[in-house]
Structures are given as C-alpha cells and as structure tokens.
Amino acid sequence: MVIKLCFIDNYNKRFAKSAKRQLNVHRFIYEIPPELYDIFSWQTSRKVTKSLTLQYDKVMYLLEKTIENEHLVGRSIMIHDYPDDQIDIKHLGQSLGYSIFDKLERINQGEIVENKRLDAVLRFAMVEQERLESEGLRERSRSDTPRRQEQRRQSRMNPVMYDQTK
C-alpha cells in the first residue's frame, strides 16, 4: 500500500497541472431518478404490426388489445432495455401493457417415445441442440444492442450504479 501511495505522489508531482480557472462549471442534475433511469437505458424503436406485436432481441412482445393500442398499428414505439434486465415499451412517454412470447424458451412437444427408443431420441436432441448453437440459431441477436448477459455482469460489477432505491 505504501508503494502505491509513493507512486501516486511521484506521478502527481511530475504530471499534475492546475486548472486554468478555479470556477466550478459542473451543472446540477435536475432530472429525477426515474428520468435518469430512462436516459441510461438502451432505447430502440420498433413498428407495431397489425396484430399488435413487435419483436426485440428475438422475443415477441404482444401489446394488450385496447383501443389506444390499436391506434398504434404501423407506428414506431420505443423499447427501453434497462441494465437490470427490465424491458419497458413506451409511446410518447407512456408505458404500454404487454405480454411476452419468447421463441427461445418455447419447447416443441415431441412425440411420445417408448423407453426402448428414448436413449436414441435424447442423443439426437443433444446433437441437434449442439448444431443449432454452433450455427448461432439458439442465441439471441448479435447486433450492436447490449446483450442481457453483459448487462447482468455489469450490474454485479457496479451495483451502486444500478441501485433503484436512491
């Protein structure tokens, strides 16, 4: 620890420069925490289909069937992807109700197999899953959007940044 302090003192003596003006020009934050939470979310726009659905990150979102939502058909709405894995769908700042249809979580119900053939079927399923994963078909999108896995890692590394209680 002493070596580290000596290094910092030595480094500051060699390279530190005083400010040209001593005036503090930082601006105050006037946004309330929910507004900051929206500002620091990943925001993407999507168009609402005729069936009141939209897709984001290989997940289909089904908007509630209301008169207000039916007027949104063909219009762009914003998807807020927060660092703590929450998703919010908004139009003109108002949150919209939705349900989720996750294609990756759906499992196709296979035919009922006799115990004699079960081992071969399970082996086939394992090979098929490995093939899909190697071709990238079981993963979520690889675009420039943040990956949910990365967001979880960041929130563990810096829990103060994602604390909602403040």
Side-chain angles (χ1 to χ4, degrees), residues 86-152:
Q86 291 184 10
I87 301 286
D88 195 10
I89 299 175
K90 295 185 177 190
H91 179 67
L92 300 176
Q94 296 292 335
S95 292
L96 303 174
Y98 65 89
S99 58
I100 297 174
F101 178 78
D102 194 346
K103 293 186 220 176
L104 295 182
E105 289 182 3
R106 301 288 179 196
I107 300 171
N108 292 334
Q109 184 73 30
E111 62 180 352
I112 299 175
V113 190
E114 297 176 5
N115 284 341
K116 296 179 210 173
R117 295 181 44 217
L118 189 57
D119 186 44
V121 171
L122 290 176
R123 198 168 322 145
F124 171 75
M126 187 173 69
V127 169
E128 188 67 17
Q129 282 182 343
E130 288 173 359
R131 182 187 66 80
L132 289 173
E133 285 178 6
S134 68
E135 293 176 7
L137 298 175
R138 283 189 51 89
E139 295 180 4
R140 299 208 181 264
S141 62
R142 294 180 186 223
S143 63
D144 62 344
T145 60
R147 301 184 74 177
R148 293 179 186 178
Q149 177 182 16
E150 180 65 21
Q151 291 173 349
R152 275 188 235 108

